[in-house]
């Protein structure tokens, strides 16, 4: 199948490795990957911070950029949840019936990576090898808005050499929340402190998740504490064949 | 304080999960609760008129209060009209909302809270920090000292049982001597005029049966059309709030019954901003709230900031959406509340009537932002939107940032940022921008394949 990559602005600018991993993983599974260079950002940051007219412009742009896509896959539960769950709200609030119709149809073919692999393609063993001790953080939007459930865990369990360790209080928010962490740094830090402690308690070498925004936050805390535990996006683990990591 | 709160919220959160898991069709029950509330809200004026007629028929009197001020005056006049200068109270958030106690005291009416935790808060001259456990910020030693100071109790221990006994003796005296009681209401049934209060100590039941006069203050959103509509809520409420299968005490009364219970009953219907909430298509779901406090107990922000941080009688996620709406987004503190959330969605998952709290938060953020003058953040957001509008602008911005970050990068990460973003790097590192963005790498790849 031809898969349109929605890389998200954050991944494009800061985490291109995740994008490369997505490409090699999906190609290895026999699919054609497209990247429409017109894409930029889904508008989540604007919408969630209270800048809805600005967000709406980006919603329309997204609809335009991905109009021809058969399926859209993104390495971000948060941005996918935004497209699927909040685009219809944005259109509704703007009173734009035609847009509402378009975003509904778009939402039906937009997927987060793990749910796409497990629920759409029906694969759990993606032929990866990653000989490390890994713990998984279920990000809030993937878990609560997309209900990806145990899809990421199923994928991780089939990775050769990977030792999966359970994260205590896994479902608790890491405190990132986009601009929340900028506007409420103390509360956000208190939330992060618990998350980082739980990650370190697992003794994992690597904490993974389906969202680089949360990983950037958790990784930022781990790095400041010089904990020795790193963060790696799920896509990079699934793309890995164990040769180097 | 934070430790008290964390401990309490964690325990109740786990208990709630177990209590909820026991109900096989919990999701359907939530849908049912939400649907009943929605239907009632869409027909609110009608329902309230029916309620008024039923209460009147049953021998009670209904009063309409447009705002807090009116409600306070009505209650104070009623108390004095019945020749009393003392009231006992059932724990009620609506009366906290309108700051009734202070107003009554000002008119020379002495108020005694009868809910144990409320009593503690009242004796301490404090404000509640949690809807359900208002004194959650106080520990046993503090309570013992408080009782010794204010009730003159001799206490050689801070055993909960002993503390409760001291309060009970004090309250018993009040129940038997006070002629007027003030309560809130959890529900009121329009068709029968029946008012319902649920509680766990039994003190509320004393208040609604022993005094001669009962005055109930109720937000207009608490009405339900039919008797049968109460049933799902009596399942949803206790499991969500105290993680119990049933409330220990559920009291119902309709008007007055000669020779039994209070001989005068007044129902004060409080609007205080609610009709305006109703007019907002996104915000109106807030009025489904049954004040169970489940959202507080799962909220990571509330857990770390405590109830007083919300500056309102409604703390936590529900407070962050209800307070700014009731105050018409005109109050500076209330206006910042919609941002007191990481939008993790735990509250929405926990809410027994499925109020999409994150959605309402976002909608309110939009309303506040649209109404305020452009500030630094606004400029940054508008600039970002402009950059994102065209891929080449976005790419140019990444290039520029890459050049600009030079002096900030140490060992591949940024450890301190200037200005607004400084709070972020106070406690965490930021990865540096890599030498190439994905789109550049992608282009390299496409060109490589073509070459
Ligand atoms: S918003 Fe929902 S969870 Fe929170 S107090 Fe109200 S009913 Fe309970």
């Amino acid at each position: 199948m031809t898969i349109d990559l929605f890389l998200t602005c954050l991944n494009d600018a800061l985490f291109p490795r995740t994008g490369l991993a997505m490409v090699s993983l999906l190609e290895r599974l026999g699919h054609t990957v497209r990247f429409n260079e017109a894409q930029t950002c889904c508008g989540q940051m604007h919408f969630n911070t209270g800048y809805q007219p600005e967000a709406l412009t980006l919603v329309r742009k997204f609809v335009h950029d991905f109009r021809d896509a058969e399926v859209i896959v993104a390495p971000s539960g948060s941005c996918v949840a935004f497209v699927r769950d909040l685009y219809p709200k944005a259109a509704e609030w703007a009173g734009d019936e035609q847009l509402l119709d378009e975003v509904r149809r778009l939402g039906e073919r937009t997927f987060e990576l793990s749910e796409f692999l497990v629920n759409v393609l029906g694969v759990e063993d993606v032929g990866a090898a990653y000989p490390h001790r890994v713990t998984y953080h279920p990000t809030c939007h993937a878990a609560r808005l997309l209900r990806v459930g145990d899809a990421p865990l199923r994928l991780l369990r089939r990775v050769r050499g990977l030792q999966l360790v359970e994260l205590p209080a896994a479902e608790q928010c890491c405190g990132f929340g986009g601009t929340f962490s900028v506007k409420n740094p103390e509360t956000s830090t208190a939330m992060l402190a618990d998350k980082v402690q739980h990650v370190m308690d697992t003794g994992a070498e690597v904490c993974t998740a389906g969202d680089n925004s949360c990983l950037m936050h958790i990784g930022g805390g781990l790095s400041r504490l010089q904990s020795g535990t790193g963060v790696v996006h799920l896509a990079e683990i699934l793309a890995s064949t164990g040769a180097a990591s | 304080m934070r430790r008290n709160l964390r401990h309490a919220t964690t325990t109740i959160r786990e208990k709630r999960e177990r209590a909820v898991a026991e109900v096989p069709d919990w999701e359907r029950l939530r849908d049912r609760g939400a649907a009943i509330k929605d239907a009632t809200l869409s027909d609110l004026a009608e329902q309230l008129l029916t309620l008024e007629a039923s209460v009147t028929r049953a021998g009670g009197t209904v009063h309409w209060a447009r705002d807090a001020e009116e409600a306070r005056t009505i209650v104070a006049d009623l108390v004095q009209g019945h020749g009393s200068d003392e009231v006992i109270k059932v724990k009620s958030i609506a009366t906290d909302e309108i700051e009734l106690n202070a107003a009554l005291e000002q008119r020379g009416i002495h108020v005694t809270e009868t809910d144990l935790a409320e009593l503690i808060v009242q004796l301490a001259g404090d404000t509640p920090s949690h809807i359900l456990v208002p004194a959650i910020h106080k520990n046993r030693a503090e309570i013992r000292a408080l009782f010794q100071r204010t009730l003159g109790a001799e206490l050689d221990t801070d055993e909960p049982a002993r503390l409760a006994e001291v309060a009970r003796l004090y309250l018993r005296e009040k129940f038997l001597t006070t002629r007027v009681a003030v309560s809130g209401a959890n529900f009121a049934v329009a068709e029968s005029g029946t008012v319902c209060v649920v509680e766990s100590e039994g003190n509320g039941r004393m208040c609604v049966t022993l005094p001669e006069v009962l005055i109930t203050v109720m937000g207009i959103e608490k009405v339900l059309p039919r008797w049968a509509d109460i049933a799902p809520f009596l399942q949803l409420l206790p499991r969500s709030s105290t993680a119990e299968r049933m409330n220990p005490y559920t009291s119902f009364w309709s008007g007055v019954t000669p020779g039994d219970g209070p001989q005068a009953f007044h129902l004060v219907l409080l609007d205080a901003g609610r009709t305006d909430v109703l007019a907002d298509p996104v915000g109106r779901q807030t009025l489904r709230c049954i004040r169970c406090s489940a959202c507080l107990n799962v909220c990571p922000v509330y857990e770390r900031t405590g109830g007083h941080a919300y500056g309102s009688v409604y703390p936590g996620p529900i407070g962050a959406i209800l307070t700014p709406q009731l105050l018409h987004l005109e109050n500076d503190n209330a206006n910042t509340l919609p941002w007191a959330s990481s939008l993790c969605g735990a509250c929405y998952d926990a809410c027994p009537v499925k109020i999409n709290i994150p959605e309402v938060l976002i909608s309110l953020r939009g309303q506040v932002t649209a109404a305020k003058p452009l500030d630094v953040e606004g400029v940054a957001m508008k600039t970002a939107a402009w950059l994102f509008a065209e891929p080449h602008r976005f790419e140019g911005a990444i290039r520029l940032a890459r050049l600009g970050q030079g002096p900030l990068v140490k060992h591949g990460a940024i450890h301190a940022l200037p200005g607004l973003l400084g709070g972020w790097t106070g406690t965490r590192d930021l990865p540096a921008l890599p030498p190439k963005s994905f789109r550049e790498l992608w282009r390299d790849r496409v060109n490589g394949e073509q070459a």
Side-chain angles (χ1 to χ4, degrees):
Chain A
M1 133 175 20
T2 301
I3 297 165
D4 260 79
L5 206 56
F6 162 38
L7 204 67
T8 86
C9 56
L10 186 83
N11 287 308
D12 188 358
L14 267 174
F15 305 100
R17 282 202 338 205
T18 302
L20 294 182
M22 292 272 288
V23 176
S24 68
L25 170 66
L26 294 169
E27 285 183 348
R28 193 170 76 211
L29 295 173
H31 303 281
T32 308
V33 179
R34 294 200 307 192
F35 177 75
N36 179 356
E37 284 190 47
Q39 67 177 276
T40 54
C41 165
C42 62
Q44 170 170 217
M45 175 181 74
H46 288 89
F47 197 72
N48 283 356
T49 315
Y51 295 84
Q52 281 143 25
E54 287 76 13
L56 209 61
T57 313
L58 295 172
V59 171
R60 295 212 165 90
K61 171 167 165 43
F62 189 95
V63 170
H64 182 263
D65 292 343
F66 287 96
R67 192 163 274 156
D68 306 328
E70 185 185 344
V71 287
I72 303 156
V73 181
S76 164
S78 182
C79 298
V80 169
F82 185 61
V83 170
R84 213 149 74 192
D85 197 61
L86 280 163
Y87 268 22
K89 298 228 150 96
E92 228 172 84
W93 296 357
D96 190 333
E97 284 292 324
Q98 197 201 329
L99 184 65
L100 178 61
D101 193 52
E102 280 181 295
V103 296
R104 280 211 181 114
R105 276 184 283 128
L106 189 80
E108 283 167 16
R109 41 188 224 277
T110 307
F111 301 95
E112 181 270 341
L113 177 66
S114 71
E115 57 170 9
F116 178 69
L117 294 171
V118 174
N119 302 341
V120 180
L121 296 182
V123 258
E124 289 183 13
D125 186 345
V126 295
Y130 193 79
H132 296 284
R133 190 176 162 89
V134 174
T135 194
Y136 170 75
H137 165 64
T139 59
C140 297
H141 291 173
R144 298 205 181 88
L145 290 175
L146 296 180
R147 307 268 176 217
V148 301
D150 64 351
L153 294 173
R154 285 168 177 240
L155 293 158
L156 285 169
R157 283 192 202 108
R158 303 296 281 271
V159 175
R160 281 154 204 81
L162 186 145
Q163 188 197 351
L164 189 62
V165 279
E166 198 184 325
L167 182 65
E171 74 297 337
Q172 286 215 24
C173 178
C174 74
F176 176 60
T179 45
F180 171 76
S181 59
V182 177
K183 288 172 104 94
N184 303 280
E186 291 94 20
T187 310
S188 164
T189 294
M191 290 160 74
L192 177 64
D194 285 356
K195 184 54 74 178
V196 164
Q197 188 57 51
H198 289 139
V199 170
M200 294 195 300
D201 288 348
T202 64
E205 297 161 69
V206 163
C207 173
T208 191
D211 230 305
N212 271 328
S213 48
C214 313
L215 284 179
M216 178 176 78
H217 193 229
I218 298 170
L222 287 166
S223 152
R224 182 59 57 94
L225 293 176
Q226 303 187 310
S227 67
T229 305
V231 290
V232 175
H233 192 282
L234 180 69
E236 292 170 45
I237 292 181
L238 299 179
S240 169
T241 47
S245 65
Chain B
M1 192 280 274
R2 227 183 247 170
R3 197 150 9 97
N4 285 357
L5 198 61
R6 154 113 22 133
H7 179 73
T9 53
T10 311
T11 316
I12 203 161
R13 195 184 297 168
E14 286 162 3
K15 268 179 69 187
R16 187 193 70 91
E17 265 167 30
R18 280 199 298 275
V20 161
E22 276 178 15
V23 184
D25 54 354
W26 181 251
E27 286 311 308
R28 272 189 30 222
L29 203 57
R30 285 174 83 201
D31 284 332
R32 176 118 188 76
I36 294 173
K37 279 281 184 181
D38 275 350
T40 316
L41 289 171
S42 66
D43 187 28
L44 192 61
E46 238 356 87
Q47 298 302 336
L48 289 169
L49 290 174
T50 311
L51 177 69
E52 181 182 34
S54 310
V55 170
T56 313
R57 212 181 313 119
T61 315
V62 173
H63 310 259
W64 300 79
R66 220 171 311 140
D67 52 26
E69 172 80 57
E70 249 182 39
R72 290 190 292 252
T73 311
I74 293 170
V75 177
D77 287 350
L78 284 170
V79 178
Q80 287 175 335
H82 282 282
S84 179
D85 59 0
E86 198 170 8
V87 298
I88 47 174
K89 273 189 68 209
V90 186
K91 170 175 147 51
S92 138
I93 319 165
T95 57
D96 287 343
E97 179 189 324
I98 62 170
E99 295 173 350
L100 181 64
N101 291 15
L104 292 180
E105 297 284 352
Q106 224 174 35
R107 297 259 302 250
I109 301 163
H110 181 68
V111 180
T112 305
E113 290 285 352
T114 63
D115 173 84
L116 184 52
E118 285 285 347
L119 177 66
I120 292 166
V121 169
Q122 190 194 26
L123 291 174
D126 207 347
T127 47
S129 59
H130 188 284
I131 294 180
L132 196 78
V133 259
I136 199 164
H137 56 292
K138 294 238 174 305
N139 64 34
R140 274 158 36 185
E142 289 171 309
I143 294 168
R144 173 185 166 205
L146 180 69
F147 282 2
Q148 280 175 322
R149 197 175 69 231
T150 56
L151 304 181
E154 304 238 331
L155 277 163
D156 42 20
T157 155
D158 58 12
E159 278 293 298
R162 268 291 287 150
L163 294 174
E165 193 189 330
V166 167
R168 193 158 50 234
L169 287 173
Y170 170 76
L171 288 174
R172 182 167 305 162
E173 165 79 21
K174 292 285 174 191
F175 290 134
L176 294 172
T177 56
T178 312
R179 292 174 45 227
V180 181
V182 175
S183 86
N186 290 92
F187 311 100
V189 180
E191 66 174 5
S192 60
T194 308
V195 180
C196 170
V197 158
V198 300
E199 37 127 13
S200 45
E201 290 172 11
N203 292 334
R205 163 156 306 181
M206 301 281 204
C207 288
V208 303
T209 48
L210 291 175
E212 294 159 29
V213 180
L214 173 59
I215 305 169
T216 298
V217 181
M218 175 188 116
I220 52 172
E221 79 281 17
K222 301 265 157 157
V223 66
L224 293 172
R226 285 164 302 269
W227 249 108
D229 296 326
I230 285 194
F233 295 104
L234 291 183
Q235 284 183 276
L236 288 167
L237 182 57
R239 283 177 205 265
S240 303
S241 63
T242 47
E244 289 162 315
R245 296 187 178 123
M246 237 182 109
N247 275 290
Y249 296 91
T250 305
S251 307
F252 294 102
W253 67 96
S254 314
V256 292
T257 313
D260 181 17
Q263 293 302 294
F265 170 60
H266 299 276
L267 181 62
V268 182
L269 295 175
L270 176 71
D271 186 324
R274 286 158 174 79
T275 340
D276 300 320
V277 181
L278 204 59
D280 180 335
V282 182
R284 71 187 308 176
Q285 57 185 308
T286 310
L287 296 180
R288 285 186 209 146
C289 177
I290 55 173
R291 313 277 189 261
C292 72
S293 73
C295 57
L296 276 65
N297 297 324
V298 297
C299 178
V301 173
Y302 173 79
E303 184 185 310
R304 284 158 183 101
T305 58
H308 292 145
Y310 293 82
S312 147
V313 294
Y314 301 104
I318 179 60
I321 59 171
L322 184 58
T323 307
Q325 292 189 84
L326 290 181
L327 298 179
H328 302 102
L329 296 167
E330 271 160 13
N331 170 295
D332 283 347
N333 173 57
N335 271 356
T336 61
L337 288 177
W339 280 272
S341 165
S342 66
L343 303 178
C344 78
C347 50
Y348 180 24
D349 264 6
C351 178
V353 285
K354 285 199 174 167
I355 301 174
N356 191 333
I357 295 174
E359 176 191 348
V360 180
L361 286 170
I362 293 170
S363 164
L364 291 173
R365 290 176 183 189
Q367 292 175 34
V368 175
T369 306
K372 75 173 183 198
L374 198 64
D375 56 4
V376 185
E377 180 192 273
V379 172
M381 285 288 172
K382 283 184 200 286
T383 311
W386 181 80
L387 292 173
F388 286 138
E390 290 287 344
H392 69 264
R393 287 184 202 150
F394 176 46
E395 194 171 337
I398 298 176
R399 288 224 178 95
L400 257 181
R402 209 183 281 142
L403 288 173
Q405 73 177 0
L408 299 170
V409 179
K410 239 163 106 195
H411 309 298
I414 296 170
H415 306 276
L417 277 172
L420 276 184
L421 302 169
W424 215 91
T425 45
T427 49
R428 50 222 132 173
D429 296 336
L430 204 61
L433 286 161
K436 282 192 176 182
S437 66
F438 178 78
R439 63 183 66 230
E440 289 170 302
L441 292 169
W442 175 265
R443 232 174 277 139
D444 289 350
R445 191 181 135 109
V446 173
N447 292 338
E449 272 168 16
Q450 279 165 357

